[in-house]
Amino acid sequence: MARAQTRYGMRGAALIAAGVLLTAGCSEAEVEAPPVDPTALADAVQLDAVMTHLTELERIAGENDGNRSLGTPGYDASVDYVAGALRDAGFDVQTPEFDTTLFAVENEQLTVDGEPMGVSALGMSPSTGPEGLTARVVRIAPDDTPGCEATDYDGIDATGAVVIVDRGVCTFAVKEQVAAERGAAALLVANNEDGPLAAAGLGAESTPRIPVGGVAGADAERLAAATTVTVTLQTRTEDRKSRNVIAQTRTGSTDDVVVVGAHLDSVPEGPGINDNGTGVAAVLETALQLGSEPGVTNAVRFAFWGAEEVGLVGSTRYVESLSDEERLDIALYLNFDMLGSPNAGYLVFDGDDSDAVGEGPGPEGSAGIERTFAQFFDERGIEVGGTDFDGRSDYGPFVAFGIPAGGVFTGADDVKTPEQADRWGGTADQPFDPNYHTPEDTLAGIDRDAFAAAAAAVAYGTAVYANSIDGPDGVPAGDQRAEVRAEFTE
């Protein structure tokens, strides 16, 4: 359902003064047209249009084994749909290929003193083999760094054991490395909240040595009291290729590029309509409404990432492929992932770390991006909350290089608090998205009101920074940019 170029050309013209000639885009471009109006662009991104994109993504999944995941025809069809719509709107579209690894689980079982218990293999976990392994249990006592440091094992013989640690503080990959170094045969990570630890991974860049599974937090003590456990995590990994989709406006300075991104792949378990069809649809419709030759000061680069669900691989490969100069030309990165959660919250990334939760503040400029989105929602009578830069989406590789980042989020598998339910409605003590990484992540689960507001915010934020990166909510430029990024990455 690609859109006609003429339609979007006319719509883009409506967002700027009529009859003004646009110049070709380059680093020295002089854009004579008045800047795109952020409010007008936000109003142009309509719910019906973004839902049309979602409907198409669900159709693609339905015709391809129910998903759009890495290495599948469903993902390739998703690339073709997005790239085709952008080309029809006049964009020069690239689909650069990259190498990655496909991870699959063939069997996962856990038996505790002869009784079954739920377990899920963490992404990229080595396999136990089909026969599994049986061993004694070692419980690492919860502390401020559960299983994150070698000292957590002081006085404990973990050799040949199945080690149990709590989730939190450090990555799963770090917990695996520490356990493996102490001779553990396998690692089980207990969730730090109600429910099982599912849809988690060690990261595509890790090199794990022992099998790693996740269990519900409530099961940790029962495991610790067991005589022996038998764990089977039969997994396989395969080398695969995937693609990103990249399109950039033909106008605007390429010295201060605004990158706007969303991941295009789903998990194998479902069609990925909220995660992350919603982000894709909102970014795509923003691009189509903006047009390929808008009246902007700064070029806008739209990116649709592959292989996010296996460790942010597409965005990581892309950022790493750029030269130092090319990375410095990126003024900021806006990330949009899960914008229509059924039990939605209105969350913006906590660029200044004012919540003091999890990671610290983002790179300099991230606080201004947070304020920009907060102002957008405030003007619409919506109070926002903060969400941590926890590394679970594609801003991660940009932040790692000191590039300021921000975005909007309606929640994943975290549980909505009573205070949040009072603020935004919905159901307290339930996940923001109970369909997260399941076959039920379909159109039927989308909160249309939340999605409409979030999609409009995508367009608004894009237009604000396409117009200017200066001012109190701007980001560093020129020599200052290089200096603050070097300090951030030291």
Side-chain angles (χ1 to χ4, degrees):
M1 299 182 67
R3 308 285 183 151
Q5 180 177 350
T6 52
R7 173 184 172 187
Y8 287 101
M10 292 173 63
R11 182 58 182 166
L15 298 175
I16 60 177
V20 179
L21 180 65
L22 299 178
T23 62
C26 65
S27 61
E28 302 296 329
E30 294 181 1
V31 180
E32 297 179 4
V36 169
D37 180 349
T39 301
L41 185 63
D43 291 343
V45 174
Q46 293 287 310
L47 179 63
D48 286 349
V50 290
M51 290 300 292
T52 296
H53 298 312
L54 281 190
T55 300
E56 189 66 11
L57 293 173
E58 186 167 271
R59 181 196 64 78
I60 289 169
E63 293 178 357
N64 292 280
D65 297 323
N67 70 81
R68 302 179 299 100
S69 63
L70 166 67
T72 66
Y75 183 73
D76 289 338
S78 299
V79 168
D80 292 343
Y81 174 70
V82 170
L86 291 165
R87 289 190 179 108
D88 286 349
F91 285 91
D92 177 18
V93 181
Q94 307 295 323
T95 58
E97 191 174 71
F98 59 89
D99 294 324
T100 187
T101 303
L102 176 65
F103 174 79
V105 179
E106 297 176 348
N107 188 18
E108 46 192 11
Q109 296 183 36
L110 177 61
T111 303
V112 182
D113 290 336
E115 297 293 327
M117 179 181 289
V119 66
S120 57
L122 269 62
M124 306 309 295
S125 167
S127 181
T128 62
E131 69 285 352
L133 63 89
T134 299
R136 62 188 176 88
V137 177
V138 167
R139 173 75 161 111
I140 302 302
D143 62 7
D144 292 338
T145 60
C148 300
E149 299 176 352
T151 53
D152 294 334
Y153 288 75
D154 285 352
I156 296 172
D157 179 12
T159 305
V162 173
V163 170
I164 305 166
V165 300
D166 284 5
R167 181 183 188 176
V169 182
C170 62
T171 64
F172 300 122
V174 169
K175 294 177 190 291
E176 183 276 334
Q177 291 169 8
V178 175
E181 288 168 1
R182 297 304 294 258
L187 178 68
L188 296 176
V189 182
N191 205 356
N192 53 7
E193 56 191 35
D194 291 340
L197 178 60
L202 297 167
E205 303 304 312
S206 65
T207 54
R209 288 173 283 172
I210 60 175
V212 184
V215 297
D219 291 333
E221 297 314 313
R222 180 183 161 201
L223 276 165
T227 305
T228 61
V229 298
T230 299
V231 58
T232 302
L233 301 174
Q234 187 178 354
T235 64
R236 59 183 173 87
T237 58
E238 300 174 4
D239 293 334
R240 291 290 179 94
K241 293 185 181 297
S242 189
R243 293 180 290 166
N244 295 322
V245 179
I246 309 292
Q248 183 165 304
T249 58
R250 300 177 187 275
T251 49
S253 170
T254 54
D255 291 337
D256 297 300
V257 178
V258 177
V259 182
V260 183
H263 77 83
L264 185 54
D265 60 321
S266 76
V267 293
E269 290 78 13
I273 299 306
N274 188 38
D275 182 19
N276 182 39
T278 52
V280 168
V283 172
L284 176 59
E285 188 63 16
T286 294
L288 300 181
Q289 293 294 342
L290 183 66
S292 60
E293 297 185 356
V296 293
T297 303
N298 306 310
V300 182
R301 184 176 304 159
F302 295 99
F304 302 85
W305 308 116
E308 187 267 1
E309 296 288 5
V310 296
L312 318 182
V313 181
S315 55
T316 299
R317 295 282 190 271
Y318 178 78
V319 176
E320 291 177 347
S321 74
L322 302 176
S323 68
D324 290 342
E325 289 185 357
E326 288 169 331
R327 281 192 289 267
L328 277 174
D329 286 339
I330 296 175
L332 68 151
Y333 175 67
L334 303 179
N335 189 73
F336 302 102
D337 192 351
M338 302 184 68
L339 304 183
S341 302
N343 193 26
Y346 292 88
L347 303 162
V348 297
F349 286 104
D350 186 16
D352 60 1
D353 196 31
S354 56
D355 294 343
V357 173
E359 299 298 321
E364 186 166 339
S366 302
I369 299 171
E370 178 186 4
R371 290 191 295 270
T372 294
F373 284 116
Q375 177 184 345
F376 170 85
F377 284 108
D378 181 67
E379 291 175 351
R380 286 151 183 78
I382 299 172
E383 182 184 359
V384 298
T387 186
D388 180 39
F389 280 118
D390 60 8
R392 291 179 63 176
S393 195
D394 291 298
Y395 55 78
F398 290 86
V399 168
F401 279 99
I403 298 170
V408 177
F409 180 50
T410 59
D413 53 345
D414 289 335
V415 172
K416 178 178 278 188
T417 67
E419 293 77 16
Q420 290 170 328
D422 288 342
R423 182 188 305 175
W424 298 316
T427 306
D429 302 320
Q430 294 295 319
F432 289 102
D433 187 356
N435 305 321
Y436 180 66
H437 286 191
T438 72
E440 285 69 46
D441 184 9
T442 65
L443 281 168
I446 298 300
D447 182 323
R448 293 169 66 94
D449 290 339
F451 185 31
V458 173
Y460 180 85
T462 299
V464 165
Y465 291 106
N467 284 341
S468 176
I469 60 169
D470 299 326
D473 296 334
V475 300
D479 292 340
Q480 184 196 14
R481 178 181 297 168
E483 292 171 6
V484 298
R485 291 188 187 180
E487 292 173 2
F488 185 87
T489 57
E490 284 181 353

